[in-house]
Structure formats: structure tokens, C-alpha cells
Amino acid sequence: MSTPVIAGMSEEGETLLDSKVDKHHTHGTEVMASRAERLTSQNVADFKIPSGLEEEWRFTPVKKLATFFSDAPGDAAAADYRGEIPESIVERALALGEAPRGTALVPADRAAAVASQVAEAHYFGIPADQELAEPLKLTVTGQGEGLRAHSHCVIEAGANSRAVVIIDHHGSADFNGNLEIIVNEGAELTVVSVQRWADNAKHLGQHDAVVGKDAKLKHVAVTLGGSIVRLNVNARYAGEGAEAELFGLYFADAGQHLEHRTFIDHNVPNSKSNVLYKGALQGVDAHTVWVGDVLIQKQAIGTDSYEKNQNLILTDGARADSVPNLEIETGLIEGAGHASSTGRFDDEHLFYLMARGISERDARRLVVRGYLNEIIQKIKVPALEEELAAALEHELEASGAL
């Protein structure tokens, strides 16, 4: 069977920007012709301190993040790290330049470059052919508002292994954290990053994954706390038959800025990806941002990709920015698409529930709970799902809108 061809496209793909346009600068603001052109470097000095005019930072309150862009060392006692580590896990420290550190992640902004300079990275290796009966859980607890914590963590799933890794963030700090994920051939790895920070915490993070031949990665980001949280989650492939699923849930209250960016780089033939992020917002100046990028390179024939973002605004004064981007360099793919929606309650859903004797308040809460639980149920760890469902219930209880 021949590979389907997208109507209106040749095997060479399509030109996304007019060649007459200066792809680097327009009216003083940097413009990328391709998502693949984003600067990456291990050198902090290669990145300017962002002003907020850059495309990568235009939604972010950069004036409140100056501490993240300083290349001064972090505070040694800014965060406490505790692990529930299965016996078979290989745990050790990786020095700068020591493999496999740097295999999956090269910093893509100044904050990530600062975090990458920590003297020792945490390494956790899942041995080949092993299936973990229990999750590997890391708990990060910030030790005080404004304390600067720099972290770099490497998780490697050996060939044909099966495992779940949970990273749970609590407390308060200015936490700057990198996470590299290596999924070797035939492995299946789920990584869950939970942000349950105190109201005065800030968190910037870059999570990069390389997914090997016939391997599967599921990455789930759940963000319920923190004053400012900005996560970049990126995935690329190291062999055909690889799959990546990126899921996200966020609930923003008054004054919170919760920002999630995803990038799927289809750089090999016959790979798959699925991205679904869902959020709810309530309160004055509650702000969420989702920017999703998918790049299907010329050689990535047979790609199957889809990304979607949905936002539910519960009160006046909240704002959701949603930007899906799809860049295709070949028409020889199985499929590619994207979708974004932002709105209020579906009146038909409310009417259906209220017609069955459910109060309007309870009906609204049922709709929100069902809407966000779709992401929680992707985790497939019952104990954590129960914890997050309870945390979500707390958010709903505290809501003046529901």
C-alpha cells in the first residue's frame, strides 16, 4: 500500500514563510522560519537575558524571573530531594560532560543553560528487560521563597524495560530544573511531573526526551500550584516505530501564570505522536499559556501526529493563550493535525444535569471534574490518580465560581 499524500502538497512539503521575509528579524523582534532553528547551547553566554519581546518569551512575565537568568550558583539548601527508589534502579551522580548526561537535552533558553551547569546531575537508570512493579518516585521540596534551586536529572530506560517515574514538586523556591529522558529500543516509560508548589513558588523547567526504535514515552505534566510555572517539554526520535504521548493538566487561580510549551520533532520515518493538554482558569489575572509545536522533517515519511489544547474559563478576568503550530516538510505522511479551543461551560451539559435534579453548582463541578479527569486517568497509577483527584477537588472547593 502506498503512503497517503496530503492534498496540495508535494513530497517536498510546503514553504511556511515567504523567502523575501527576513526570517531572523522583523521590526526588532526575532522570528524563526522553522521551530528547528531555535538556538540550543550548553553555554549560558550564548543566550541573552530575555526582554519579553522574543517569540519564545512574549507570553511570560520575564521581569519577575530575573533570578533565573543569573549565572550565579544556586543555593545549596534551596531544595530537598527524597526518593522512593526500587532496588533494581541504578542511581548515581553524573559530572559535567559525563555520559549519558547531555544525550537528550541541550538547553534551549538561558534558564535551562544555567541549570545545566550544576556540578552533579542525578541519574536514575532502569535496567534492560526489567519491569518495575512500583513507580520510581522523586519528591522535590522547596525550602523557602526566593531561594535559588538548580537541578539536572537524567532518567534512562534500558532496552525493553517498563517503568513509571513520578517527580512531585512541593514547597517554595525559585526552582530551575532540567530533565532528560532516554528511552532505549523497545522500552515503555511513563514520566509524570507534578507541580503542587506553594503560592509564592516559581518554576522554570526544560524536559527533553529521545525515544528509541519501537519505544514508547508517555509524559504527563500536572500543574496545580506556583506563582509562575513555565515548562518546556520536547521529544525527538532515535529510530522508526517510536511513539511519544504528551499529556498535560493545569488549573490556574487568580494571579497565577501557568505556561506549558511542547515540541515534537519527527526526525525519522514512521514515528507517532499525540499531544493533549487541558486547563481550567478562575479568578482575576489567572493566565495560562500553551504553545504546541510539531515539526515533521523531510525524511519523516509515514509520520502520524496530532496535538490538541482545550481551555475552560470559569470566571471573568482570566485569560488563556493557546497557539498550536504544525510544520510539515513532506507530504508522505499518515496524518497530521492540530486543534485548540477556549470557552466557558457548555450550556447543554449543564441543562442535561440540572434537568435530572442536580443543582447548578454541583452540575458545574461535575463538568469541570469530568473535563480534567481525562488527563489524570492517563497516568495509570491508582494511588497518584487518587491524590490528584483529591487535589483537584480542593481546587474546586476553593473556587468562588463553582
Side-chain angles (χ1 to χ4, degrees):
M1 180 181 294
S2 61
T3 304
V5 178
I6 296 179
M9 293 183 62
S10 70
E11 294 183 17
E12 302 302 316
E14 61 179 342
T15 301
L16 299 180
L17 289 181
D18 192 307
S19 60
K20 297 179 181 179
V21 176
D22 181 343
K23 65 183 180 181
H24 297 294
H25 295 89
T26 301
H27 301 297
T29 302
E30 183 179 352
V31 176
M32 291 181 291
S34 168
R35 183 65 168 75
E37 292 182 355
R38 184 176 65 165
L39 171 66
T40 58
S41 174
Q42 298 285 1
N43 188 356
V44 177
D46 287 341
F47 297 96
K48 296 179 180 178
I49 295 175
S51 66
L53 296 177
E54 303 84 358
E55 176 63 28
E56 288 287 303
W57 294 96
R58 67 188 178 98
F59 294 112
T60 312
V62 294
K63 292 182 180 179
K64 299 179 180 179
L65 298 172
T67 184
F68 287 88
F69 307 129
S70 168
D71 58 1
D75 302 313
D80 177 70
Y81 302 88
R82 300 291 174 90
E84 298 174 19
I85 315 297
E87 289 185 3
S88 60
I89 295 297
V90 177
E91 180 183 3
R92 60 191 175 96
L94 295 176
L96 278 168
E98 182 180 356
R101 183 174 178 177
T103 299
L105 188 149
V106 180
D109 60 43
R110 187 177 175 94
V114 170
S116 73
Q117 300 306 307
V118 296
E120 292 187 342
H122 306 282
Y123 172 83
F124 300 93
I126 299 114
D129 301 312
Q130 291 212 10
E131 181 170 355
L132 298 188
E134 298 293 332
L136 187 168
K137 184 174 182 181
L138 308 174
T139 300
V140 180
T141 305
Q143 299 299 295
E145 180 181 2
L147 294 178
R148 301 172 69 244
H150 297 163
S151 173
H152 193 104
C153 183
V154 181
I155 297 169
E156 182 173 19
N160 303 308
S161 63
R162 304 287 183 273
V164 175
V165 177
I166 300 167
I167 305 176
D168 203 354
H169 302 88
H170 299 264
S172 184
D174 287 352
F175 185 79
N176 190 8
N178 291 341
L179 174 64
E180 11 187 348
I181 303 164
I182 304 164
V183 190
N184 286 300
E185 183 175 345
E188 294 185 14
L189 179 65
T190 296
V191 176
V192 185
S193 180
V194 183
Q195 289 64 241
R196 290 191 273 188
W197 294 107
D199 291 341
N200 53 14
K202 301 183 183 73
H203 179 180
L204 300 189
Q206 181 175 328
H207 296 186
D208 278 23
V210 174
V211 187
K213 183 178 184 296
D214 297 324
K216 296 181 181 180
L217 168 69
K218 181 194 296 183
H219 183 286
V220 185
V222 179
T223 304
L224 302 176
S227 171
I228 300 172
V229 176
R230 184 183 194 265
L231 292 183
N232 284 298
V233 182
N234 311 298
R236 66 182 189 276
Y237 302 90
E240 295 189 35
E243 299 183 24
E245 294 182 304
L246 308 184
F247 300 117
L249 178 159
Y250 46 88
F251 197 117
D253 292 311
Q256 280 186 300
H257 177 94
L258 307 181
E259 181 170 344
H260 298 82
R261 292 170 174 263
T262 61
F263 176 38
I264 301 285
D265 183 1
H266 285 278
N267 56 328
V268 302
N270 303 313
S271 58
K272 294 182 179 181
S273 67
N274 181 36
V275 179
L276 175 61
Y277 271 64
K278 303 181 77 168
L281 303 82
Q282 63 181 7
V284 176
D285 293 329
H287 186 202
T288 65
V289 177
W290 176 83
V291 179
D293 291 293
V294 173
L295 169 63
I296 302 174
Q297 296 193 35
K298 183 177 179 179
Q299 70 272 21
I301 62 173
T303 290
D304 188 358
S305 176
Y306 192 76
E307 63 173 349
K308 184 178 184 180
N309 176 231
Q310 295 176 289
N311 297 288
L312 183 60
I313 296 180
L314 305 177
T315 67
D316 293 334
R319 171 183 170 183
D321 287 297
S322 180
V323 185
N325 299 303
L326 179 59
E327 183 179 356
I328 307 173
E329 296 179 349
T330 176
L332 299 176
I333 63 174
E334 292 296 325
H338 57 189
S340 171
S341 64
T342 300
R344 295 183 179 274
F345 282 103
D346 187 323
D347 290 337
E348 291 186 4
H349 286 174
L350 292 178
F351 176 80
Y352 177 87
L353 293 169
M354 292 170 65
R356 282 150 181 78
I358 300 173
S359 70
E360 181 177 358
R361 177 178 179 274
D362 288 343
R364 287 176 177 270
R365 292 178 61 176
L366 282 171
V367 169
V368 176
R369 189 183 299 119
Y371 164 77
L372 294 177
N373 269 342
E374 179 183 2
I375 301 298
I376 293 176
Q377 292 170 357
K378 300 287 187 183
I379 296 172
K380 306 300 182 184
V381 179
L384 181 58
E385 288 185 5
E386 290 177 9
E387 278 187 45
L388 294 178
L392 180 58
E393 196 66 29
H394 176 75
E395 293 281 353
L396 297 176
E397 286 285 352
S399 171
L402 298 174

